[in-house]
């Protein structure tokens, strides 16, 4: 007799929670004010916006002139922030490729945390700041 087993905990850990808004594919947010947790599964382009709650991206994040009032978690290998502010931690998780973060005139009030097998890389200009440092990564100015 053959039995089928389902791996429900693994599936439920990658599905979006009910308390957040989930967007799929190429997501362009411009001049937006988001008041709840948001998850993007794909590429997130955010411009001239304010996100009041947590942002989770399963892919790539590119932001310009944006304020993130809480933490940002990107499960991918590329984050590009220009003229932006993160009032919390920036986490980048990728176990397949070396994660990298590019900061241009950007302020991070918390830490940048890389969850990966290799050390992540932060490329930043002289006007960008990371107030609480970098965990599991190096900073190149």
């Amino acid at each position: 007799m053959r039995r089928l087993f389902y791996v429900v905990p693994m599936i439920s850990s990658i599905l979006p929670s009910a308390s957040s808004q989930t967007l799929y594919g190429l997501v362009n947010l411009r001049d937006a004010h988001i008041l709840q947790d948001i998850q993007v599964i794909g590429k997130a382009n955010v411009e001239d916006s304010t996100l009041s709650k947590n942002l989770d991206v399963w892919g790539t994040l590119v932001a310009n002139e944006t304020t993130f009032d809480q933490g940002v978690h990107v499960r991918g290998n590329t984050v590009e922030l220009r003229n932006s502010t993160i009032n919390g931690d920036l986490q980048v998780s990728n176990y397949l490729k070396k994660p990298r973060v590019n900061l241009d005139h950007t302020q991070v009030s918390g830490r940048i945390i890389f969850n990966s097998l290799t050390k992540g890389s932060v490329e930043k200009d002289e006007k960008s700041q990371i107030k609480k440092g970098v965990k599991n990564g190096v900073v190149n100015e």
Side-chain angles (χ1 to χ4, degrees):
M1 179 196 269
R2 207 182 288 190
R3 292 185 182 202
L4 296 175
F5 296 97
Y6 296 99
V7 186
V8 175
M10 178 57 96
I11 293 172
S12 65
S13 71
I14 63 171
L15 291 177
S17 65
S19 64
S20 68
Q21 178 70 39
T22 302
L23 305 168
Y24 298 91
L26 176 58
V27 175
N28 292 309
L29 297 174
R30 184 173 199 164
D31 197 25
H33 190 166
I34 308 296
L35 300 174
Q36 65 185 30
D37 289 344
I38 187 168
Q39 292 187 345
V40 175
I41 300 174
K43 182 177 181 181
N45 291 322
V46 187
E47 188 170 341
D48 297 322
S49 296
T50 301
L51 284 78
S52 297
K53 299 286 185 172
N54 291 312
L55 171 66
D56 286 310
V57 177
W58 296 73
T60 301
L61 171 63
V62 177
N64 186 29
E65 297 283 340
T66 297
T67 300
F68 302 93
D69 287 334
Q70 292 189 14
V72 175
H73 190 172
V74 177
R75 291 165 183 90
N77 69 312
T78 304
V79 178
E80 295 182 11
L81 303 171
R82 286 182 294 289
N83 303 311
S84 296
T85 302
I86 297 179
N87 295 316
D89 291 337
L90 169 61
Q91 291 188 59
V92 183
S93 301
N94 190 314
Y95 294 98
L96 300 175
K97 293 183 177 180
K98 180 178 180 175
R100 68 178 179 81
V101 173
N102 290 329
L103 302 178
D104 182 17
H105 292 76
T106 295
Q107 310 299 313
V108 179
S109 68
R111 295 189 300 171
I112 295 179
I113 302 166
F114 291 104
N115 301 311
S116 63
L117 298 175
T118 61
K119 287 191 174 201
S121 173
V122 178
E123 299 286 335
K124 73 180 207 65
D125 66 351
E126 66 279 348
K127 298 211 177 193
S128 295
Q129 288 186 330
I130 307 164
K131 300 258 170 110
K132 295 185 180 176
V134 176
K135 181 179 177 185
N136 193 30
V138 295
V139 177
N140 303 313
E141 296 191 47

